[in-house]
């Protein structure tokens, strides 16, 4: 007899397996594409400790397309804090129906992070940043930030 808990556990297992497979497939596609086009991908980590007020963590440089692979926010305080992550993009001038300037959007707003723990954003998902696009973080208390990116020039 299969219980609801067993069904849920199986569902979670298959969802995690599917997510892992799709992330691996995306990485492989990016790797093959970059190799065939002779682009120069470089993997980087950007860290910042004790963020409280709005702080730009990363800005895509001139001629750079960056793919955000992961973002972890850590609470180093003894009480719960909240954190907001903002993507600011002024990219415009695209052809066709999407010829509109991008705007600043919050990827997560006032997300609670319990004392001494962390919050992982974009797990299995990716965000593309174009030249001058930024990722910024605001915390209600000391927030440590670790951002993993792949830059393509």
């Amino acid at each position: 007899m299969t219980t609801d808990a067993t069904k849920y556990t199986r569902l979670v297992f298959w969802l995690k397996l599917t997510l892992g497979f799709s992330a691996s497939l995306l990485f492989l596609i990016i790797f093959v594409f970059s190799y065939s086009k002779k682009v120069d991908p470089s993997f980087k980590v950007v860290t910042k400790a004790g963020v409280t007020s709005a702080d730009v963590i990363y800005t895509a440089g001139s001629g750079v397309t960056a793919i955000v692979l992961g973002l972890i926010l850590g609470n180093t305080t003894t009480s719960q804090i909240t954190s907001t992550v903002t993507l600011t993009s002024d990219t415009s001038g695209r052809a066709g129906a999407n010829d509109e300037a991008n705007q600043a959007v919050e990827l997560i707003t006032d997300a609670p992070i319990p004392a001494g723990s962390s919050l992982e954003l974009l797990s299995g998902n990716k965000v593309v940043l174009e030249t001058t696009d930024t990722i910024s973080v605001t915390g209600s208390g000391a927030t440590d930030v670790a951002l993993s990116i792949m830059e393509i020039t």
Side-chain angles (χ1 to χ4, degrees), residues 24-89:
S24 299
L25 184 61
L26 177 63
F27 177 79
L28 181 64
I29 290 169
I30 291 170
F31 179 77
V32 169
F33 174 76
S34 64
Y35 182 77
S36 66
K37 298 296 182 183
K38 305 292 186 227
V39 296
D40 183 24
S42 61
F43 295 90
K44 297 182 179 181
V45 63
V46 179
T47 61
K48 196 146 207 183
V51 174
T52 53
S53 59
D55 201 344
V56 174
I57 304 303
Y58 176 78
T59 302
S62 177
V64 170
T65 298
I67 299 172
V68 178
L69 304 173
L71 176 62
I72 300 172
L73 305 173
N75 178 356
T76 58
T77 69
T78 57
S79 60
Q80 178 174 297
I81 63 169
T82 60
S83 188
T84 299
V85 178
T86 305
L87 166 63
T88 304
S89 177

